[in-house]
Amino acid sequence: TMSSFMYFPFCAIYCTLSTSRITFYTYYEDKYALVNEMFADYIQEADQNYHDLQARNNPGGDGFIGYENLLECILQLFYNNIRFFSHSTPEENPYLFSVFFNHIFLSVDDYLQRHTGLAARYSTKEVAALLCNGFWGVISICHSEKMSREAVCERVKAMYNDILLSDLFRRK
């Protein structure tokens, strides 16, 4: 497993990849560089998914639907990579959780700054932190409680809609 990444033996990484230590170091400075590249790839996957969803179900740019598409991308990212993310919890791997949070936080903050359909009453950084850390935590906890994918998605989407309909946002 990916347990305790900071203490994860380096040999286990390149041995699992069926590569030599020299080959690994040709491409990566260390195991942290590998993780950063993996997370950058995950963010790129979610970003492409978001643009596909927007083109398909939100050509008019409705703010509410845009936020729903953003959440859908986060859910799909988690479930498309469940073997990895199920071990990236604050309890099991605080380092991986923190690094991924920072990557997704920057993407969501950028999205919030460019978004024009709904205006947050608080700074984009504060809202991005709430949405990213809060929902990523909820997804992880629901999964660890053995909820089905459908139940997790339903629960998180309901919470998300409640937040979007609250006083936290106002339609422009």
Side-chain angles (χ1 to χ4, degrees):
T1 75
M2 294 290 293
S3 237
S4 302
F5 181 79
M6 291 180 63
Y7 305 105
F8 197 69
F10 191 77
C11 175
I13 295 172
Y14 61 80
C15 292
T16 301
L17 296 173
S18 300
T19 190
S20 71
R21 185 179 190 100
I22 293 170
T23 301
F24 182 88
Y25 278 117
T26 300
Y27 295 99
Y28 302 102
E29 184 176 324
D30 55 24
K31 64 184 177 182
Y32 301 102
L34 171 64
V35 166
N36 277 317
E37 184 175 308
M38 289 172 59
F39 284 139
D41 288 347
Y42 288 143
I43 295 299
Q44 186 176 12
E45 174 188 333
D47 188 55
Q48 182 60 51
N49 188 16
Y50 172 79
H51 290 293
D52 292 347
L53 281 172
Q54 284 290 94
R56 187 171 51 247
N57 70 4
N58 193 19
D62 179 271
F64 193 83
I65 295 171
Y67 276 93
E68 288 179 332
N69 286 341
L70 180 67
L71 177 62
E72 184 63 33
C73 292
I74 292 170
L75 287 165
Q76 286 182 18
L77 180 66
F78 182 86
Y79 283 106
N80 288 348
N81 303 285
I82 190 74
R83 289 188 58 204
F84 180 79
F85 287 122
S86 64
H87 297 287
S88 300
T89 64
E91 298 80 23
E92 187 173 341
N93 274 302
Y95 175 78
L96 292 178
F97 182 85
S98 174
V99 170
F100 186 66
F101 169 77
N102 288 329
H103 279 274
I104 201 165
F105 169 81
L106 292 173
S107 294
V108 172
D109 183 50
D110 178 62
Y111 172 82
L112 292 172
Q113 289 180 30
R114 291 182 291 108
H115 199 274
T116 58
L118 292 175
R121 296 185 190 273
Y122 303 95
S123 78
T124 59
K125 290 194 181 320
E126 291 169 339
V127 174
L130 170 68
L131 296 178
C132 295
N133 200 28
F135 284 112
W136 194 255
V138 170
I139 293 166
S140 296
I141 287 170
C142 289
H143 177 75
S144 72
E145 292 176 348
K146 310 287 188 234
M147 290 177 69
S148 70
R149 177 181 181 160
E150 294 75 23
V152 173
C153 292
E154 184 179 315
R155 170 85 44 94
V156 172
K157 287 177 181 179
M159 292 173 79
Y160 195 66
N161 285 335
D162 287 346
I163 288 173
L164 290 176
L165 294 171
S166 74
D167 288 340
L168 182 62
F169 292 95
R170 56 184 175 266
R171 290 201 181 262
K172 285 187 170 182

